Amino acid sequence: MHNTVDATWIDDFFIMSKETEPEYQLSDIFSCTRCGFCCQGETTVSLDAKDQERMVRVLGLSREETAQQYWRITGTEVQMQVRDGHCIFYDPTQGCTVHEGRPWRCRQWPLHPSILSDESNFHTIAASCPGIKKTLSYKEFSHIFQALRQHERADEQNG
């Protein structure tokens, strides 16, 4: 008996698998509650050039005014200032006051790639972030997160 593999069946299977994979949304795994837990601490994030441009635009100030009022600049490093143990833009009643202009690192959090490489990272982050869907297992969360990341990379490649 000789086993042969029908290549058309394999192609059809992979095409079908891609078509039947649900279209995931970020809200399937995370919805920011703007609780501010991630804004707490004595350190803050660095701002790249796009972060700086976005923040200036959202605040409606000049770059100089924004830098003077909100940034800590040491050499070539630009960071948001820290006030009273939290990011200068965090307000306990409103959450992030520059949410639309927040840096990419803030936009990424808590969906940091390390959450996929170590299940304990997932549990640590999920325990401190009320926005992570607690009804999902680590396996379900990781599957959806990976699919979202792959979709994002494909979008970037396709322009």
Side-chain angles (χ1 to χ4, degrees), residues 109-110 115 119-134 136 141:
W109 189 260
I115 212 167
E119 186 173 347
S120 66
N121 285 342
F122 167 75
H123 292 294
T124 299
I125 292 169
S128 67
C129 180
I132 289 185
K133 299 287 176 143
K134 308 292 193 261
L136 298 174
F141 178 92

Side-chain angles (χ1 to χ4, degrees), residues 17 19 24 26-27 36 39 45-46 65-67 70 79 90 103 106 112 126 138-140 142 151-152 157 159:
S17 295
E19 290 173 357
Y24 293 114
L26 180 61
S27 59
C39 306
V45 298
S46 297
E65 291 171 308
T66 303
Y70 300 107
Q79 297 179 313
Y90 178 72
C106 296
H112 192 273
Y138 175 66
K139 184 176 179 179
E140 293 167 322
S142 296
H151 183 72
E152 184 179 343
Q157 290 174 353

Side-chain angles (χ1 to χ4, degrees), residues 31-98:
S31 295
C32 182
T33 64
R34 296 177 78 171
C35 70
F37 186 83
C38 54
C39 306
Q40 306 299 315
E42 294 301 323
T43 61
T44 187
V45 298
S46 297
L47 306 172
D48 66 17
K50 288 182 181 179
D51 292 333
Q52 293 170 42
E53 291 170 19
R54 185 182 320 105
M55 196 171 285
V56 165
R57 185 179 68 253
V58 167
L59 290 171
L61 301 172
S62 70
R63 178 174 167 62
E64 293 73 27
E65 291 171 308
T66 303
Q68 183 179 13
Q69 292 179 39
Y70 300 107
W71 296 343
R72 179 178 70 197
I73 302 173
T74 52
T76 59
E77 193 69 27
V78 178
Q79 297 179 313
M80 294 180 294
Q81 293 178 19
V82 174
R83 291 282 191 268
D84 302 321
H86 54 76
C87 170
I88 192 166
F89 293 109
Y90 178 72
D91 179 280
T93 60
Q94 297 177 13
C96 180
T97 59
V98 71

